[in-house]
Structure formats: C-alpha cells, structure tokens
Amino acid sequence: MKDTEDTGRVTISPVGFIRTPFDEKFAVPRQSSLVHHGHFEIFFYPPYDCEEAFNGIDEFSHLWITFLFDRIPEDPVFRPMVRPPRLGGNTFKGVFATRSPFRPNRTGLSVVRLVEVKRYNGRVSLIIDGADMVNNTPVIDVKPYIKFVDSVPDAVSGFALEAPKMHKVVFSEKAMLQIKDSGVSDFKELIEEVLSQDPRPAYRTQQTDERVYGVGLCGFDVKWQARAEVIHVLYLEEGMPG
C-alpha cells in the first residue's frame, strides 16, 4: 500500500486473482454462500504465493476475501445514494448502508469456506467453496474468519432480513443433452444454483416477462426464461452472451 502525500490517495495492489465459473456480472450469485458447485480457486502473485505466508491457514474453516469490483467503471463523481436490488430497484439507500458494487473504492468483502490449500513447488493456491465474484476478479487480501467475533447471531440486518427467494429450475431435453456433452463437472447443479436466485433486474421480476436471457457460465451462454416463477433452461451456446 502506498500513501501519496500530495493527493491524499492510497494505492492498493492485488495479491492475486480468483478463478470462478462466472463469465460475467449477470451470472454472479448475490452472496457467496448460495453456490456450492463449480470450481473456485484463488491464485496469488509472487511474492505473496510463498508457503510461509499461509502457514496456519489450514486451521481455519472459513476466510474473509477482500476483492475489487473491477468490472464496475470508476465514477469520478461520488454518488451517495444507490438502489439495492433487494428493495425492487426503485428505493434509494445510502451507499454505505448497502453492499452495492457502485462504491467509492469498488471493494467487496465475502466469507467463503476453505476447501483445500494447494502447495506445489513452494507456491500456494486456495480452493474454496463458492464465491460471488466474476472470473479473474482481483483479490486484495485474505484473512481468517474468527467465529467468536465475526459471528453475531442477534445482529439486525436492516432491509436484508431473509435469504432471497429461490425458484424452481427445469431443463429442456436439448439443454440436458448439451450439458452432458459440455464436459463441465456438476454443470447442471451449478446452473440450478445460479438461476434459482433469478438474476433478472428487480423491475423485470415484477411483471410478465417473455424475454429469453443469457447468462455466462463456464464458457457457455446459458439461455433461459422465467415463466410463472419457474426458471426454464432452454439451450446452451458456446461463448459469452451477446
């Protein structure tokens, strides 16, 4: 971290990046704990990838990951109010009272479960269970989750009192065949976890919607529709949604 005295700005460099199945923001779940299928691995840049830096991390089941919303363009003007999706996208709240990615410093914070510490040739990467980050998101820091201080059972959560509603997901025969031929492990389960959260913009969920959506997962554009609160997976195309 470098402190530039003439501007008062602080520059932070990433320590690594994360590989996830999510090829775009639309595919990312609203919280890291809502997805448990797919491969999630954090890689570190030298010199942060040395084994000494991770000595003792195996003793913790969960980690805090600080990351950068690098797909969100920097805004030269500070905007103090945002519209959280949980409130339908029509109600404004203060940016510091939300988890919106549209923040002054575009930083995010997630709790993830540590699955495995991979050690090879003196270097380290971390395999984790689920994440709410786009593929190749820069990682700023990793810290252990401490249960007796980080868990607050009687905490008040404002407008986010409950987990988001989950929707039933059904697959067409064509989609099932394409998923089988894709060679992606647990692909069907991953699609179910992502689409059951209904990633559509909030205003779309409040009306009849005949639109066919595409969501980028594992190098495929997964095409789907929402009909009467049921998500229908129609077919897959290779590449990013167009």
Side-chain angles (χ1 to χ4, degrees):
M1 183 172 69
K2 301 177 181 179
D3 187 359
T4 308
E5 293 182 1
D6 57 342
T7 64
R9 295 178 65 87
V10 174
T11 301
I12 297 178
S13 299
V15 298
F17 63 95
I18 186 170
R19 295 287 194 198
T20 78
F22 312 127
D23 298 328
E24 54 164 345
K25 293 184 294 181
F26 192 42
V28 176
R30 293 184 175 93
Q31 300 295 333
S32 58
S33 61
L34 298 178
V35 170
H36 302 285
H37 291 86
H39 186 75
F40 300 82
E41 187 167 357
I42 302 175
F43 296 89
F44 297 88
Y45 302 125
Y48 312 115
D49 59 349
C50 65
E51 288 193 55
E52 292 88 344
F54 299 89
N55 184 20
I57 198 170
D58 312 69
E59 301 170 12
F60 297 90
S61 65
H62 290 73
L63 305 171
W64 286 108
I65 309 299
T66 307
F67 60 94
L68 181 69
F69 289 110
D70 63 321
R71 309 299 172 93
I72 303 297
E74 291 192 74
D75 195 333
V77 179
F78 172 56
R79 302 186 187 279
M81 303 289 283
V82 296
R83 294 181 291 183
R86 287 293 294 268
L87 298 178
N90 298 313
T91 302
F92 283 92
K93 291 287 184 180
V95 63
F96 298 126
T98 76
R99 297 192 180 191
S100 169
F102 297 93
R103 324 188 62 77
N105 289 311
R106 301 183 299 158
T107 53
L109 183 66
S110 289
V111 174
V112 300
R113 185 174 70 86
L114 178 61
V115 175
E116 180 186 352
V117 181
K118 292 181 64 176
R119 295 177 171 87
Y120 47 96
N121 299 325
R123 304 178 64 185
V124 169
S125 67
L126 304 177
I127 297 179
I128 60 176
D129 177 29
D132 50 355
M133 305 169 215
V134 180
N135 190 33
N136 293 324
T137 289
V139 172
I140 303 301
D141 201 3
V142 174
K143 296 179 181 179
Y145 177 93
I146 308 297
K147 183 178 179 179
F148 81 92
V149 290
D150 293 338
S151 177
V152 186
D154 58 348
V156 177
S157 300
F159 58 83
L161 292 174
E162 300 176 345
K165 178 181 178 182
M166 297 297 172
H167 297 261
K168 181 179 179 181
V169 180
V170 298
F171 294 79
S172 70
E173 290 186 12
K174 180 177 181 179
M176 287 298 297
L177 288 173
Q178 291 178 313
I179 290 169
K180 182 178 179 180
D181 292 340
S182 71
V184 178
S185 178
D186 296 332
F187 200 12
K188 177 178 180 291
E189 291 79 5
L190 174 64
I191 294 172
E192 285 180 314
E193 288 178 329
V194 170
L195 295 186
S196 65
Q197 302 171 48
D198 192 352
R200 291 179 297 164
Y203 70 90
R204 287 279 186 182
T205 65
Q206 308 298 321
Q207 58 188 19
T208 301
D209 188 4
E210 300 296 331
R211 178 177 173 178
V212 174
Y213 291 88
V215 63
L217 290 171
C218 301
F220 290 88
D221 180 5
V222 181
K223 298 294 188 181
W224 58 280
Q225 274 186 319
R227 307 173 194 159
E229 298 192 349
V230 176
I231 304 298
H232 294 257
V233 180
L234 307 176
Y235 58 93
L236 280 63
E237 293 179 349
E238 291 193 23
M240 287 284 290

